[in-house]
Amino acid sequence: MTNRIPLIAGNWKMNLDHQQAIALVQKLAWSLKDAAHDFSTAEVAVFPPFTDLRTVQTLIDADKFEIRIGAQDLSRFDSGAYTGEISGAFLKKLDVRYVLVGHSERRQFHDEDDVTVQAKTAAAFKHSLVPIICVGETLEQLESEGQAAVPVRQTLAALAGHANLGEFVIAYEPVWAIGTGKVASPEEAAAVCSKIREAIANEHSQEVAAAARILYGGSVKAANVAGFLRSPEVDGVLVGGASLDADEFSGIARFQKHIGV
Ligand code: PGA
């Protein structure tokens, strides 16, 4: 048994404007309330686009919802002449707790490499945000380098060179499983999460490794979530498409009902 509280994170990507965000968060909160969801046994966080954050913050604050707020990215810089960038300091002011770093779509479409991801991880620590460092391999990399090689390498690169490691989360998302409907098997996901934790323990310490939550992501749905979270190696899920449907995402958050915990 571990004392890591599972994290159910919903990455909306570039979907839902601020008005649609209100509807979704309200529906999600009511659905969880109806089901008497206990947030101390599974934390729930939404990751809306930047333009929705203030609205979502205001709603959560006014209605005292226990849902946490995450952002999808942050700048490696604090402030200044970086047109289009968003500082971690601004996110912190909006009660943002988590921030995705190095999502595979950022790596693919914005050329973010391990150096950028390390710098953004540092920026998250600096602004007291919890980075969710996304790692994962393409199908070609899986074939050429084998299971876990790329995610382990990306994890260690993101965590290298920080004077002090703050709280962080790793999300293992095989690129071939994102938005494709193809999922890793629960056994594959657990094996990779376990190798990531082992590598963190070797490179940093047992304590750091034991405290880190390691999530699985890639085509997670209410119907398959229990398989992943049955393993003690997997501490939650990062959900894309299925987080845009309040009932479906609420079903994912209530995974414990399916596994009888
Ligand atoms: P998906 O996306 O659940 O739609 O596969 C996951 C992600 O990209 O975080």
Side-chain angles (χ1 to χ4, degrees):
M1 278 302 285
T2 74
N3 53 8
R4 296 185 295 267
I5 297 171
L7 173 61
I8 310 301
N11 172 15
W12 296 359
K13 309 192 179 187
M14 198 171 71
N15 293 293
L16 308 183
D17 62 33
H18 71 286
Q19 287 167 331
Q20 295 167 318
I22 295 175
L24 181 65
V25 172
Q26 272 174 340
K27 200 168 170 205
L28 175 63
W30 291 335
S31 163
L32 291 169
K33 190 162 184 233
D34 279 352
H37 179 72
D38 180 355
F39 288 84
S40 68
T41 63
E43 210 183 329
V44 180
V46 291
F47 292 69
F50 290 127
T51 49
D52 300 4
L53 287 173
R54 173 68 175 145
T55 308
V56 171
Q57 178 211 20
T58 306
L59 174 66
I60 286 179
D61 189 43
D63 290 355
K64 309 264 177 296
F65 293 150
E66 289 181 79
I67 297 166
R68 306 264 203 192
I69 311 172
Q72 297 177 18
D73 186 27
L74 84 170
S75 174
R76 66 161 88 180
F77 304 109
D78 295 339
S79 64
Y82 302 104
T83 301
E85 294 277 281
I86 303 289
S87 167
F90 307 161
L91 299 176
K92 191 68 195 169
K93 277 267 166 73
L94 292 170
D95 298 337
V96 167
R97 172 164 167 75
Y98 296 103
V99 61
L100 301 182
V101 173
H103 188 279
S104 66
E105 287 149 19
R106 301 290 316 171
R107 294 182 192 258
Q108 185 182 350
F109 302 123
H110 300 271
D111 295 325
E112 291 195 5
D113 58 12
D114 285 346
V115 173
T116 309
V117 174
Q118 194 274 353
K120 289 189 170 189
T121 302
F125 288 147
K126 179 167 184 187
H127 296 292
S128 305
L129 299 163
V130 177
I132 299 186
I133 301 159
C134 303
V135 299
E137 75 289 310
T138 61
L139 211 46
E140 288 108 69
Q141 287 172 323
L142 180 65
E143 275 155 18
S144 64
E145 301 195 46
Q147 193 189 48
V150 171
V152 163
R153 189 166 69 230
Q154 291 174 337
T155 299
L156 296 183
L159 296 179
H162 304 286
N164 287 305
L165 284 180
E167 182 184 349
F168 65 89
V169 176
I170 304 293
Y172 167 54
E173 298 202 301
V175 177
W176 46 271
I178 296 179
T180 57
K182 284 191 200 130
V183 270
S185 71
E187 293 73 26
E188 284 168 325
V192 176
C193 291
S194 157
K195 287 194 178 135
I196 292 172
R197 194 179 308 282
E198 198 181 296
I200 297 172
N202 290 338
E203 193 77 12
H204 296 275
S205 69
Q206 283 292 351
E207 291 70 43
V208 170
R213 285 180 289 181
I214 305 184
L215 318 182
Y216 169 76
S219 297
V220 172
K221 298 181 176 45
N224 63 19
V225 65
F228 297 108
L229 293 177
R230 216 169 255 131
S231 163
E233 295 296 340
V234 183
D235 304 313
V237 284
L238 180 54
V239 183
S243 71
L244 298 173
D245 179 319
D247 290 330
E248 180 73 15
F249 190 55
S250 160
I252 294 173
R254 290 179 288 112
F255 72 94
Q256 281 155 332
K257 295 252 174 349
H258 315 297
I259 57 177
V261 172

